[in-house]
């Protein structure tokens, strides 16, 4: 068996659990048939949660990009916190391509094929972004800081509103005003 990239998926609503929720249209597309899992002996068993299994992680990045776009369209003004580093590169590339070429007939066909309404482009500027990690005590002006990564790939790349982003910038300001005992 070849290694496969996986992601647990499930659309949750307030008060509900992701495992009990029905998959979104994008999730249903990538789930295809019955989700499966393997036990320790390699036997196929029915999956308890919706799980997308793909042959390679670039395909997983593509599936997550489509699901993210679907979620953003359905949740204007929502809050997002996205990963940094090498792991999300395919997700970022596909999301940027989809958003920047939304009006392209090929992209519109691609969106429609997975259940996304191509006439309803998400309002990315309405979203609030929360940065989840940072190197300390690295300045946000450092090119390899997560704050710089967030600004480059998410705020500028996805077209998020910088004024609605909670970014860990200028960490030294926090400590400059705190008395040292």
């Amino acid at each position: 068996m070849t290694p496969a990239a996986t992601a647990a998926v499930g659309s949750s609503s307030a008060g509900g659990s992701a495992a009990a929720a029905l998959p979104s249209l994008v999730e249903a597309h990538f789930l295809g048939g019955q989700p499966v899992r393997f036990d320790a002996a390699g036997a196929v068993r029915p999956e308890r949660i919706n799980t997308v299994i793909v042959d390679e992680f670039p395909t997983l990045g593509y599936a997550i990009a489509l699901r993210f776009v679907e979620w953003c369209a359905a949740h204007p003004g929502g809050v997002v916190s996205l990963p940094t580093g090498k792991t999300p590169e395919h997700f970022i590339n596909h999301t940027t391509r989809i958003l920047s070429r939304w009006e392209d007939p090929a992209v519109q066909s691609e969106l429609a094929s997975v259940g996304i309404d191509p006439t309803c482009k998400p309002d990315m500027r309405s979203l609030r972004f929360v940065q989840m990690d940072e190197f300390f005590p690295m300045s946000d002006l450092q090119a390899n800081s997560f704050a710089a990564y967030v600004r480059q790939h998410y705020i500028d790349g996805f077209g998020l509103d910088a004024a609605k982003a909670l970014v860990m910038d200028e960490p030294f300001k926090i400590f400059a005003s705190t008395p040292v005992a």
Side-chain angles (χ1 to χ4, degrees), residues 16-29:
S17 80
L22 295 174
S24 75
L25 293 174
V26 169
E27 291 166 1
H29 172 82

Side-chain angles (χ1 to χ4, degrees), residues 26-47:
V26 169
E27 291 166 1
H29 172 82
F30 282 96
L31 286 168
Q34 176 68 26
V36 296
R37 70 182 172 98
F38 299 91
D39 64 15
V44 176
R45 298 176 52 177
E47 186 60 76

Side-chain angles (χ1 to χ4, degrees), residues 51-134:
T51 304
V52 173
I53 301 172
V54 296
D55 291 331
E56 62 218 16
F57 72 94
T59 304
L60 185 61
Y62 174 66
I64 293 169
L66 289 168
R67 179 62 183 109
F68 177 68
V69 167
E70 179 186 44
W71 185 91
C72 291
H75 297 90
V79 178
V80 297
S81 186
L82 302 169
T84 53
K86 299 285 282 174
T87 304
E89 285 180 349
H90 293 284
F91 158 73
I92 291 168
N93 292 339
H94 285 294
T95 303
T96 302
R97 177 187 61 80
I98 291 165
L99 293 171
S100 67
R101 299 181 186 161
W102 192 274
E103 302 300 323
D104 182 311
V107 171
Q108 293 211 335
S109 176
E110 177 183 353
L111 294 167
S113 74
V114 296
I116 297 174
D117 181 355
T119 65
C120 185
K121 183 177 182 180
D123 179 8
M124 302 304 285
R125 293 191 57 79
S126 75
L127 300 174
R128 297 187 179 277
F129 180 88
V130 178
Q131 180 182 343
M132 66 174 94
D133 53 6
E134 184 57 275

